[in-house]
Amino acid sequence: MKQKITLKHIARELEVSISTVSKALKNSDEISEDTKEKIQAFAKLYNYKPNNIAVSLKNKRTKNIGVVIPDIVHHFFTTVFRGIEKYANEQGYNVIICVSDETFDKEVINMEMLNNGSIDGFIMSLSAETQQKDDITHLKQVVDQGTPLVLFDRVTDNLDCDKVILNDEEIAYEATIKLLKEGRKRIALATTESYFNVSEKRAEGYKRALNEYGMEVDNDLVLVIPYDDIQESMIDAFFDNTDIDAILSVNEIFAIQCMGVAKKRGMKIPEDISFIGFTDGLLSRYSNPTLTVVAQHGIQMGEMAAKLLIDRVEREDDRQEEESYTTEIVKASIINRESTLN
């Protein structure tokens, strides 16, 4: 299928700003006749059709931000949203939130629904199915239309836009080192499917720590739990077939479920087995014993994402600036509780 020509394509080919292209196509007196003729001829040659959504967004600000998150069950995403809303409201912006329910189709529908002139830009974290399909066509279309986009946490390297991520590999390494310093020899990793970019980064940190301690990575110690179908029987079978004395979990839900299975088997926590999970949510704080966690500082991540988006929305249109994007990294921290020895 022939690629649809956009303002951004014309600007790049003719080495002018997107703003100049837009004004020339509207026959603005601000643009010289020579430049207008050149741009209009190019647009006609390539059958350019104006995008009414992009035009409306360029001509006025709605002071609304669209946010698309994968789910509202995980504590992390709700805290990120609170951070986004806090910063946005302070700057006079409203926030419209949609939930993709981890599905590709709903993510696309949400973006199409919001991107109708009712928002100034998007903040979003990719759904599980989007990462699994590795299809970001809908995101590229939004960016090509000139709509600002900030990705957080679950991001893709295949799209140029602003991003806010966690130091996943580094903090997973630190958490594994903590368990190793306790004297743990058989540390398991409870994780999701590898297409989740954050889970893959955390797995890399886990493996690096083991290698530094001269321990080989044992694939039998990696428990892959489907994000959408957590079965206790799967965890039971893992405990039946694997000798472990610690578990690093990529989220608090997996960690709490694994702790429950260990307790049913009469294992003492943390004497016999230690647990660390990602996300400092209510489950972690009120579990018995309480869970040592990697705090992801979701509110800080949300504030960063909102600032990146609003700064870009309010920045004067400049072609060079538009193609220079920022990746901010939030530094996670470990909160020690009762599920580890120290």
Side-chain angles (χ1 to χ4, degrees):
M1 182 181 294
K2 187 176 179 180
Q3 185 178 17
K4 182 180 177 181
I5 193 79
T6 66
L7 291 177
K8 192 172 183 179
H9 293 138
I10 299 173
R12 184 182 296 117
E13 288 297 322
L14 299 182
E15 297 184 344
V16 295
S17 72
I18 294 174
S19 176
T20 297
V21 174
S22 178
K23 290 175 181 178
L25 293 176
K26 288 184 286 189
N27 212 31
S28 170
D29 292 335
E30 296 178 43
I31 309 301
S32 70
E33 288 299 321
D34 181 64
T35 300
K36 280 195 288 189
E37 289 177 7
K38 181 171 64 173
I39 291 172
Q40 290 171 2
F42 186 94
K44 184 176 181 180
L45 177 64
Y46 287 94
N47 196 31
Y48 168 76
K49 301 294 183 185
N51 184 287
N52 293 329
I53 295 171
V55 169
S56 69
L57 286 172
K58 283 296 181 183
N59 287 343
K60 62 180 181 179
R61 293 184 194 140
T62 66
K63 305 292 277 189
N64 293 328
I65 292 172
V67 178
V68 183
I69 61 174
D71 67 53
I72 55 175
V73 174
H74 285 81
H75 176 80
F76 168 69
F77 290 118
T78 60
T79 58
V80 173
F81 176 70
R82 284 206 296 270
I84 293 170
E85 190 172 47
K86 177 178 180 291
Y87 185 87
N89 290 167
E90 289 171 354
Q91 305 305 312
Y93 283 74
N94 299 309
V95 180
I96 303 170
I97 186 170
C98 291
V99 182
S100 67
D101 285 331
E102 298 286 16
T103 67
F104 173 84
D105 288 343
K106 194 169 181 183
E107 181 176 288
V108 172
I109 291 169
N110 286 337
M111 296 192 74
E112 289 178 347
M113 176 183 68
L114 292 173
N115 198 26
N116 61 359
S118 62
I119 63 166
D120 294 328
F122 282 103
I123 299 174
M124 65 179 298
S125 185
L126 301 181
S127 71
E129 281 192 359
T130 298
Q131 292 201 299
Q132 184 178 24
K133 290 163 69 75
D134 195 23
D135 184 349
I136 56 169
T137 304
H138 55 304
L139 303 183
K140 290 180 177 178
Q141 288 174 345
V142 163
V143 171
D144 284 345
Q145 288 170 2
T147 306
L149 169 67
V150 177
L151 294 179
F152 74 89
D153 191 50
R154 299 186 196 168
V155 304
T156 173
D157 293 331
N158 298 322
L159 184 69
D160 289 331
C161 66
D162 294 315
K163 298 165 189 172
V164 185
I165 60 175
L166 195 74
N167 60 333
D168 284 296
E169 194 271 345
E170 179 185 347
I171 196 64
Y173 164 84
E174 292 177 11
T176 308
I177 290 293
K178 172 180 171 58
L179 294 171
L180 289 165
K181 286 182 176 179
E182 285 187 3
R184 305 301 181 179
K185 304 294 185 185
R186 301 278 294 173
I187 303 172
L189 176 68
T191 187
T192 56
E193 294 90 340
S194 61
Y195 52 78
F196 285 94
N197 68 297
V198 292
S199 296
E200 192 65 11
K201 291 292 184 185
R202 292 167 193 175
E204 290 173 7
Y206 160 82
K207 293 173 183 177
R208 178 160 69 91
L210 294 179
N211 289 334
E212 282 195 12
Y213 266 65
M215 301 170 67
E216 291 186 6
V217 176
D218 185 350
N219 289 329
D220 289 338
L221 295 181
V222 178
L223 171 61
V224 178
I225 303 174
Y227 76 91
D228 58 346
D229 187 23
I230 305 172
Q231 297 179 5
E232 189 171 301
S233 59
M234 179 184 297
I235 300 172
D236 265 319
F238 182 74
F239 273 81
D240 283 339
N241 300 318
T242 315
D243 178 25
I244 55 176
D245 57 15
I247 292 182
L248 173 65
S249 172
V250 298
N251 61 50
E252 67 175 355
I253 295 175
F254 290 177
I256 297 299
Q257 290 190 304
C258 289
M259 281 174 57
V261 171
K263 286 170 66 177
K264 282 198 305 185
R265 291 166 175 266
M267 301 178 78
K268 295 180 181 179
I269 305 170
E271 292 83 0
D272 300 330
I273 184 169
S274 289
F275 291 87
I276 298 178
F278 275 70
T279 303
D280 181 26
L282 293 176
L283 287 175
S284 303
R285 296 174 202 174
Y286 295 104
S287 61
N288 184 22
T290 54
L291 179 67
T292 294
V293 296
V294 172
Q296 296 169 269
H297 307 304
I299 290 178
Q300 181 186 354
M301 182 174 283
E303 290 177 340
M304 281 186 178
K307 184 178 189 307
L308 282 175
L309 183 67
I310 292 172
D311 284 352
R312 188 165 293 279
V313 167
E314 297 189 346
R315 189 180 302 151
E316 284 189 3
D317 185 20
D318 179 277
R319 177 174 174 265
Q320 187 172 11
E321 280 191 323
E322 282 198 33
E323 294 189 350
S324 177
Y325 298 105
T326 299
T327 296
E328 298 283 357
I329 300 175
V330 175
K331 300 290 186 181
S333 55
I334 297 174
I335 299 176
N336 293 306
R337 295 202 179 104
E338 298 168 347
S339 67
T340 51
L341 291 173
N342 50 53

